[in-house]
Amino acid sequence: MSNFSRQIRLSSSLIKRLQDRTAIVNPRSFTTIEGNRPTIVHKRSIDILHDPWFNRGTAFSMTERDRLDLRGLLPPNVMSSEQQIERFMADLKRFQVNARDGPSDPNALAMWRILNRLHDRNETMYYKVLIANIQEYAPIVYTPTVGLVCQNYSGLFRRPRGMYFSAADRGEMMSMVYNWPADQVDMIVVTDGSRILGLGDLGIQGIGISIGKLDLYVAAAGMNPQRVLPVMIDVGTNNEKLLKDPLYLGLQEHRLDGEEYIAVIDEFMEAVFTRWPHVIVQFEDFQSKWAFKLLQRYRNIYRMFNDDVQGTAGVAIAGLLGAVRAQGNPMIDFPKQKIVVAGAGSAGIGVLNAARKTMARMLGNNESAFDSARSQFWVVDAKGLITEERQNIDQDALPFARKVKEVGRQGLTEGASLVEVVRQVKPDVLLGLSAVGGLFSKEVLEALKYSTSTRPAIFAMSNPTKNAECTAEEAFSVLGENVIFASGSPFKDVDLGNGHIGHCNQGNNMYLFPGIGLGTLLSGSRIVSDGMLQAAAECLAAYMTEEEVLKGIIYPSISSIRDITKKVAAAVVKEAIEEDLAEGHREMDARELRKLSEEEIVTYVKNNMWSPQYPTLVYKKD
């Protein structure tokens, strides 16, 4: 039996008392089991005010000010957290008004700076603001603004957040991890900065994506912010501009490659799992040449997943299943869909593999079904349609290369252009994961008019906004209301006139990765299995009502993200139990976890979602 399942177990009577206690909690509260315990701190006075984890500013009560030697260090008026938020929001709204230039939106980067300053001084209030305004501020702390933040991170850097491991630290990482102050870390998001959001190699500045992702783990999944860790692995950069920039904060040398590169990542993984054996590591924005290799290298050894490969795939699968429903068909008809995919990088291949597995399972989950599913995809990269005639074909794309005779019967050849493929195949779905802005030109969209589906679907999934294959307005202006549109970055709904609305669905990875991480954590699963990822995608696909999908709404509102994450995490926990991977979490051991009903699993997840409440602080000398 593993160490996980040897943890202290709750007696049945204590579980009963815990259930009775949580039953009377305000249903809108997401308090964790330990959430109401006093927090022991080993600092006071001005040091508390400079610590964003514990600082609550003017919300310290007079009793706390006396206990922590804060009297006289703050204005005398004690404010509630609601009053603090009201004051912050009033200041932010004033900025929005003053920054407005005619009809344009406020400067997103300036908005990020204001929110980041709040994060630096009062973490609890920061997450209160973010959770309460998640639809408005998710695009600021995450895509698309986080791309701009990463591009300018060396200039924006004010105080360190997270950890930096570099090629210069080889041989030291095992000791370095103990420099991080938290004894418990539940979630790490790590990047090497080599492929940030389709913006290319941004080197050390890519840590902005790790920080942004973890903000959403806290806001959406209720991960405790004191137990998350953003990480940058700096192995150099091949960005010539950064190599010559005197203000660049990273190593100014070309990227390591081959065995030297793998050795650095190996050392990092061994170090973090030695100190925090039960941590979950999410790989983020690694270039395609390493994304799959590292995923296959670690996924059966460590609790890890790659969001670009697996998270993007899950969100796309949920959208594709939703599109089948929006076309008036049952999800079981998914294997009949003809799908043209633009892009054969890590995200594109990840979606293809996941979609093929989903189709195969619906067709009987055998070798014949798996082979049959392959024929539903046409993959187009920068060189055109991929066929078996392609020279030096990427091994990951090889399973999706079309047979020459097959495409010949369709009037196509190796390297055929995207517009030719769309015109000849007449697909049900046009899926973009190319990171090439405007790839779905008017000519390509015109070709989609001849789709054999009465309601074809367009997925312009590349981030950030400038890399989207087309905009919602472009899609609806060419194809009218009988098209389903989804994108990776947010676009506004399109007014089609006569009271008709063209709905823009944001197929954002934030629908899934927080729930995958939380579900893995609470199940105690040793790995993140394909079944757990599939359960997450199917849960998201089923979240929308029949009435909503028939209107062309295939993804839910970001404003519901905590409820979505709760249900996705519960689906992941349930699948981990069914696959016999669950080993339990803290007091809930594997045996007790297996006894929970589906409804009780949802309650278990809900009760372990952190909520930004000011804890009672008790000073204790070291």
Side-chain angles (χ1 to χ4, degrees):
M1 189 178 292
S2 71
N3 290 334
F4 238 104
S5 52
R6 291 196 187 101
Q7 294 182 40
I8 300 172
R9 300 178 180 180
L10 285 173
S11 68
S12 58
S13 61
L14 185 52
I15 292 174
K16 180 68 168 61
R17 290 201 302 275
L18 176 60
Q19 290 171 337
D20 289 343
R21 186 182 77 182
T22 57
I24 61 174
V25 171
N26 179 338
R28 294 178 64 190
S29 168
F30 292 101
T31 307
T32 57
I33 291 171
E34 76 278 8
N36 292 324
R37 294 175 182 169
T39 299
I40 304 298
V41 293
H42 302 289
K43 58 181 70 175
R44 54 185 172 182
S45 188
I46 202 75
D47 292 334
I48 284 284
L49 298 181
H50 290 165
D51 189 330
W53 281 359
F54 302 120
N55 178 36
R56 64 179 69 172
T58 54
F60 279 113
S61 69
M62 296 311 294
T63 302
E64 289 168 323
R65 295 181 191 204
D66 286 337
R67 186 167 66 241
L68 298 170
D69 294 346
L70 294 172
R71 190 181 285 269
L73 299 181
L74 292 163
N77 188 15
V78 176
M79 305 189 82
S80 67
S81 60
E82 290 75 17
Q83 287 174 306
Q84 287 183 309
I85 291 174
E86 185 180 354
R87 187 158 53 92
F88 174 80
M89 293 302 292
D91 189 43
L92 192 58
K93 296 301 179 187
R94 277 195 297 272
F95 162 77
Q96 289 178 312
V97 171
N98 293 335
R100 213 172 280 279
D101 181 15
S104 67
D105 288 333
N107 186 297
L109 195 56
M111 290 278 286
W112 178 87
R113 281 173 161 159
I114 291 173
L115 288 168
N116 192 55
R117 285 199 291 268
L118 176 62
H119 197 178
D120 284 344
R121 65 180 182 268
N122 187 331
E123 196 157 78
T124 302
M125 185 175 161
Y126 171 75
Y127 287 114
K128 273 182 175 284
V129 169
L130 185 55
I131 291 169
N133 303 276
I134 189 67
Q135 187 146 12
E136 185 177 359
Y137 294 148
I140 302 297
V141 302
Y142 185 45
T143 183
T145 306
V146 73
L148 188 59
V149 170
C150 289
Q151 288 177 307
N152 296 278
Y153 200 80
S154 288
L156 294 170
F157 180 86
R158 292 296 178 270
R159 60 179 293 167
R161 193 184 302 282
M163 287 197 75
Y164 300 82
F165 296 84
S166 78
D169 298 317
R170 281 175 281 189
E172 301 293 335
M173 294 183 195
M174 190 66 76
S175 59
M176 284 172 63
V177 291
Y178 290 90
N179 292 338
W180 188 249
D183 289 328
Q184 184 174 339
V185 171
D186 294 331
M187 194 78 218
I188 289 173
V189 175
V190 59
T191 185
D192 70 350
S194 58
R195 190 204 63 86
I196 299 298
L197 290 174
L199 297 171
D201 184 349
L202 298 183
I204 204 168
Q205 300 182 150
I207 194 169
I209 197 71
S210 297
I211 294 167
K213 288 273 185 176
L214 285 169
D215 277 347
L216 295 181
Y217 267 110
V218 176
M223 289 276 192
N224 189 319
Q226 295 186 28
R227 297 179 192 156
V228 301
L229 174 59
V231 170
M232 174 70 213
I233 299 180
D234 184 2
V235 292
T237 178
N238 293 335
N239 184 323
E240 292 300 323
K241 182 179 176 182
L242 296 179
L243 289 171
K244 297 172 184 175
D245 184 353
L247 301 181
Y248 177 60
L249 296 172
L251 292 179
Q252 290 185 299
E253 54 191 53
H254 285 100
R255 284 186 171 274
L256 292 182
D257 205 354
E259 291 302 317
E260 280 191 304
Y261 174 86
I262 290 175
V264 171
I265 311 298
D266 279 350
E267 184 180 349
F268 163 76
M269 292 293 279
E270 184 180 1
V272 295
F273 279 94
T274 296
R275 184 175 183 197
W276 302 295
H278 306 304
V279 72
I280 303 160
V281 176
Q282 175 182 316
F283 276 57
E284 187 67 31
D285 285 352
F286 283 70
Q287 59 183 313
S288 298
K289 68 178 284 188
W290 291 118
F292 284 103
K293 287 186 176 74
L294 296 176
L295 178 61
Q296 296 307 318
R297 186 177 183 85
Y298 301 131
R299 67 172 307 188
N300 295 317
I301 305 171
Y302 298 119
R303 296 216 294 182
M304 62 79 65
F305 68 102
N306 183 304
D307 185 51
D308 304 298
V309 176
Q310 296 163 297
T312 300
V315 171
I317 294 302
L320 291 169
L321 294 174
V324 175
R325 293 176 65 198
Q327 290 163 352
N329 302 313
M331 284 197 285
I332 199 70
D333 280 356
F334 179 50
K336 298 176 183 177
Q337 296 273 292
K338 293 180 294 182
I339 303 174
V340 170
V341 180
S346 60
I349 297 299
V351 170
L352 283 163
N353 285 326
R356 185 182 182 186
K357 287 176 184 175
T358 302
M359 287 183 176
R361 190 166 55 257
M362 292 178 173
L363 292 170
N365 209 21
N366 52 43
E367 190 172 333
S368 173
F370 194 65
D371 188 58
S372 175
R374 181 198 64 80
S375 65
Q376 298 305 113
F377 304 97
W378 288 258
V379 185
V380 180
D381 67 2
K383 297 178 181 178
L385 178 65
I386 298 176
T387 72
E388 291 179 342
E389 282 190 338
R390 175 70 62 90
Q391 297 293 315
N392 302 316
I393 188 169
D394 188 294
Q395 289 302 302
D396 295 318
L398 183 59
F400 300 98
R402 303 293 300 195
K403 297 184 184 303
V404 176
K405 287 184 179 179
E406 266 179 359
V407 297
R409 287 194 293 269
Q410 294 172 324
L412 295 170
T413 59
E414 159 64 33
S417 69
L418 179 61
V419 68
E420 289 177 298
V421 174
V422 173
R423 190 177 290 129
Q424 297 301 118
V425 173
K426 301 176 175 57
D428 301 284
V429 176
L430 177 57
L431 176 59
L433 289 156
S434 65
V436 179
L439 181 65
F440 296 168
S441 63
K442 184 176 181 180
E443 190 180 9
V444 171
L445 296 174
E446 290 279 0
L448 193 60
K449 283 183 177 180
Y450 300 99
S451 166
T452 51
S453 172
T454 57
R455 201 176 192 187
I458 296 173
F459 288 77
M461 301 295 278
S462 294
N463 285 314
T465 309
K466 71 174 189 175
N467 287 350
E469 285 77 11
C470 69
T471 67
E473 191 169 351
E474 289 166 346
F476 285 109
S477 67
V478 173
L479 291 154
E481 61 183 306
N482 290 322
V483 66
I484 302 154
F485 181 83
S487 58
S489 287
F491 289 103
K492 292 179 180 178
D493 289 344
V494 179
D495 185 350
L496 302 176
N498 299 321
H500 292 251
I501 299 294
H503 292 284
C504 177
N505 299 276
Q506 188 185 0
N508 197 314
N509 285 21
M510 71 181 287
Y511 286 124
L512 283 192
F513 70 77
I516 293 169
L518 181 62
T520 303
L521 175 71
L522 297 181
S523 70
S525 175
R526 301 178 295 276
I527 61 170
V528 182
S529 72
D530 286 338
M532 290 159 69
L533 295 163
Q534 186 67 31
E538 290 178 0
C539 176
L540 178 59
Y543 191 87
M544 309 304 299
T545 66
E546 202 66 27
E547 183 182 1
E548 287 171 323
V549 295
L550 291 176
K551 289 179 181 176
I553 304 172
I554 58 174
Y555 289 116
S557 169
I558 294 292
S559 61
S560 304
I561 192 62
R562 278 185 83 102
D563 185 61
I564 298 163
T565 300
K566 176 184 67 179
K567 291 178 179 176
V568 168
V572 171
V573 171
K574 182 173 179 287
E575 180 64 23
I577 294 169
E578 290 176 358
E579 292 185 31
D580 201 27
L581 293 171
E583 296 187 354
H585 177 67
R586 297 191 198 156
E587 295 91 347
M588 184 68 74
D589 68 14
R591 185 167 54 87
E592 297 295 340
L593 202 54
R594 283 193 292 270
K595 293 177 184 178
L596 299 181
S597 67
E598 200 164 322
E599 187 178 337
E600 287 170 331
I601 291 174
V602 174
T603 301
Y604 166 62
V605 170
K606 178 181 176 181
N607 289 336
N608 279 280
M609 293 175 77
W610 177 87
S611 179
Q613 306 293 337
Y614 287 132
T616 299
L617 301 181
V618 178
Y619 173 70
K620 184 179 180 181
K621 287 184 179 180
D622 286 323

